[in-house]
Amino acid sequence: GSSGINAEYGGNDHTIYIYDWNKKHKVASQKGHQDPVLGAEYMPSSSSRFITYGKGHIIFWELEGGKLVKKSGLFEKNPKPRFVTSLAFTPKGEPVTGDSNGNLFLWSPSDRKIVKTNTGAHQGTIYSLAIKDDEIYTGGQDCKVKRFSGTDLSEQDCWSLASELHGRVKAIAFVGDKLAVGTYNNGVLYGLFGDEPEQIIHGHGAGDLWGGADHPSENVFATVGQDKVVYVWDAANHTPKHVFSIEKPGQSCAFSPCGSVLAVATTTGEWYVLDANTGEKLSSYVSGDEQIDAISYSPDGTLLAVGSHDNFVYLFDSSNLTGEYTSKGKCTGHSSFITHLDFSSDGKVLQTTSGDYEHLYWETETGEQITSSKDQRDTPMASYTCILGFPVCGIWPIGYDGTDINSLCRSHDGKLLVTADDFGLVNLFRYPCCNPNAEWSSFRGHSAHVTKVRFLKDDRAVISLGGRDQSIIQWAIDSE
């Protein structure tokens, strides 16, 4: 609190610092442990005694006369874990720890010894602890929330969650009588322990998040992640309309022009045609054996282009939208992997960009390269997501290199342009943007590289996807 003293830990020597926040100065410091420190908690009703824990250790601390005194916890004959990963206190002030072996230990704070054990309480790491009414609740790597007796640590009940949807339980906390559960897949579930929980926050989990597409006629968008999950989102309510699972890690996606079908591409060269409302797999294909960063339907929906890391663009006849697609050939000429692609308004021309910053044009009927690129400068494009080209040559600030801008999107009315970069920024320009000194506005919300930006229906909002932070941010467009 504002009137208390807090403990912090940091630095390569894992030093423990005590600060008086009211007086804004350091009270004391002491080297913590040679191995990483994962957490620090004050003992109940004490501003001078606290515990730190981490790799292979738990340490009991006391502030005496302006100096920190530390004493290690004693595992004795009990199995010493690789990591102590969680800590909580019983109503009597007794420490309870969970660890990377799935063991639950109850400690005596006076002699720093383990007095009760439940070895193998979870299969895998216990990431979080919560205590209520003298009962201990745990969340673990096995995607279970368990309840134990605070007296003898015996298991009382178990709340099993679907690991394929949630990954593992990373954090738990009581809000009144209800339990909030944070998952590895960036979701939050909420409810009374033992009842079917409500998922109040949804998100993507393992791996980066790169795949995103706006719906052609509804205030809806889709995302697909390397966690093998596809979400179709209601942009007005910021909630999922549909959730689908796929077999391989997802990398890119595209709605058909009518919006009833969603094409989803993976990191392995496989791609699927799904019913956008039910998730039913209508058909599946393999285009090479490498990652597919770009996939798109032509404006009339009769063609589908697939841009692969094998340097080819594969063309398919998709006129039988919900049936089998047939190969029309492939575009051969890039010397690096395909990053973005767009159809012309009449569907006769395809523009593509690649990892070595080539910007090429193709005839969609034959797959042949159009070698005179300058003749295509004024070709109307149905979309503009390629990061190169005359209408967008002003998006590159001084100091940026070719890898720094990951995504681009022109608004549907052709007046604005938004980009996503490696610095966590979403940047807004006017379109066309041909002047290297063009003005723009930057907006920060992501913690790392931004992988995708798309305008939503009526250009009233933009969505941006974070790669490593796996977050989805919806930005309102100010009409002024």
Side-chain angles (χ1 to χ4, degrees):
S2 60
S3 61
I5 302 174
N6 289 348
E8 292 188 351
Y9 49 94
N12 293 330
D13 54 3
H14 309 115
T15 301
I16 305 299
Y17 297 92
I18 302 294
Y19 291 93
D20 186 320
W21 292 114
N22 282 338
K23 297 180 180 179
K24 299 181 180 179
H25 74 88
K26 183 178 73 174
V27 175
S29 64
Q30 174 68 276
K31 287 186 178 181
H33 196 274
Q34 63 185 8
D35 289 320
V37 179
L38 299 184
E41 295 282 350
Y42 271 105
M43 302 281 283
S45 304
S46 175
S47 60
S48 61
R49 300 170 65 208
F50 62 93
I51 294 174
T52 60
Y53 58 93
K55 184 176 181 179
H57 72 273
I58 176 172
I59 299 177
F60 293 73
W61 297 81
E62 187 166 2
L63 182 64
E64 296 179 347
K67 293 185 178 181
L68 283 171
V69 178
K70 67 176 181 177
K71 296 179 180 180
S72 295
L74 305 175
F75 287 92
E76 298 183 309
K77 295 182 179 179
N78 296 290
K80 186 176 182 180
R82 186 162 183 260
F83 287 94
V84 178
T85 51
S86 51
L87 169 69
F89 296 93
T90 69
K92 297 178 182 179
E94 300 164 309
V96 181
T97 60
D99 62 40
S100 55
N101 293 336
N103 298 331
L104 197 61
F105 294 147
L106 180 67
W107 296 77
S108 166
S110 57
D111 58 13
R112 312 180 317 282
K113 294 182 179 180
I114 296 170
V115 294
K116 297 289 181 182
T117 68
N118 187 328
T119 56
H122 280 264
Q123 292 183 335
T125 301
I126 298 174
Y127 289 111
S128 186
L129 294 168
I131 294 179
K132 184 175 177 60
D133 301 331
D134 202 29
E135 292 183 312
I136 301 166
Y137 295 78
T138 59
Q141 183 177 349
D142 52 8
C143 211
K144 294 178 179 179
V145 179
K146 294 187 175 185
R147 185 177 69 202
F148 298 87
S149 165
T151 303
D152 60 7
L153 301 189
S154 61
E155 184 176 331
Q156 304 293 310
D157 203 353
C158 179
W159 198 10
S160 296
L161 307 178
S163 60
E164 65 273 12
L165 292 178
H166 306 298
R168 59 192 71 170
V169 175
K170 294 290 287 184
I172 59 174
F174 275 96
V175 182
D177 291 331
K178 294 186 176 181
L179 191 64
V181 179
T183 72
Y184 180 75
N185 286 359
N186 293 318
V188 175
L189 296 93
Y190 184 65
L192 293 171
F193 179 80
D195 292 348
E196 186 67 26
E198 175 189 4
Q199 185 159 359
I200 58 175
I201 296 177
H202 294 75
H204 285 280
D208 283 9
L209 176 60
W210 283 85
D214 58 300
H215 193 282
S217 58
E218 299 177 13
N219 195 23
V220 166
F221 64 94
T223 58
V224 58
Q226 294 176 2
D227 58 355
K228 306 177 187 178
V229 177
V230 179
Y231 282 102
V232 178
W233 300 88
D234 183 325
N237 298 323
H238 312 125
T239 56
K241 292 183 65 176
H242 311 293
V243 184
F244 313 135
S245 295
I246 55 176
E247 290 85 357
K248 298 296 175 63
Q251 184 69 16
S252 55
C253 60
F255 280 102
S256 62
C258 64
S260 65
V261 164
L262 183 69
V264 177
T266 72
T267 60
T268 61
E270 297 181 29
W271 54 278
Y272 318 111
V273 179
L274 307 180
D275 184 301
N277 294 309
T278 68
E280 178 189 356
K281 186 193 292 185
L282 304 173
S283 55
S284 61
Y285 308 87
V286 177
S287 295
D289 57 4
E290 298 189 42
Q291 182 170 297
I292 297 170
D293 281 342
I295 188 168
S296 181
Y297 284 94
S298 63
D300 63 1
T302 61
L303 287 175
L304 182 76
V306 178
S308 171
H309 270 227
D310 64 8
N311 306 351
F312 300 129
V313 179
Y314 297 85
L315 297 175
F316 288 83
D317 184 334
S318 56
S319 52
N320 185 5
L321 189 62
T322 60
E324 287 295 321
Y325 295 3
T326 57
S327 174
K328 286 177 61 69
K330 59 185 179 182
C331 305
T332 303
H334 274 294
S335 52
S336 185
F337 58 91
I338 311 304
T339 57
H340 308 87
L341 56 83
D342 297 290
F343 281 94
S344 62
S345 296
D346 60 9
K348 295 181 179 180
V349 174
L350 187 71
Q351 69 168 354
T352 57
T353 52
S354 58
D356 59 355
Y357 324 125
E358 276 188 317
H359 179 213
L360 302 180
Y361 293 90
W362 314 86
E363 293 180 356
T364 58
E365 182 60 33
T366 63
E368 294 295 320
Q369 182 181 345
I370 301 172
T371 55
S372 181
S373 296
K374 64 180 181 179
D375 293 339
Q376 301 300 321
R377 193 177 81 169
D378 297 322
T379 298
M381 305 305 295
S383 63
Y384 211 110
T385 63
C386 287
I387 59 174
L388 301 173
F390 181 74
V392 299
C393 61
I395 66 169
W396 299 89
I398 295 174
Y400 273 49
D401 66 29
T403 66
D404 288 334
I405 294 179
N406 300 312
S407 180
L408 176 152
C409 186
R410 182 189 66 193
S411 61
H412 300 96
D413 64 8
K415 295 180 179 179
L416 296 173
L417 184 69
V418 65
T419 66
D421 66 28
D422 271 352
F423 310 107
L425 296 176
V426 174
N427 308 293
L428 187 65
F429 298 82
R430 296 197 179 277
Y431 182 88
C433 184
C434 312
N435 187 340
N437 298 313
E439 295 182 351
W440 77 93
S441 298
S442 294
F443 306 92
R444 185 177 297 279
H446 294 279
S447 63
H449 60 291
V450 187
T451 57
K452 188 79 67 178
V453 281
R454 289 294 183 264
F455 280 92
L456 299 185
K457 180 179 179 289
D458 299 332
D459 299 325
R460 294 177 182 174
V462 166
I463 57 149
S464 60
L465 310 184
R468 181 47 58 187
D469 68 20
Q470 302 159 336
S471 63
I472 303 166
I473 298 179
Q474 188 169 322
W475 307 83
I477 301 295
D478 188 345
S479 59
E480 298 299 320

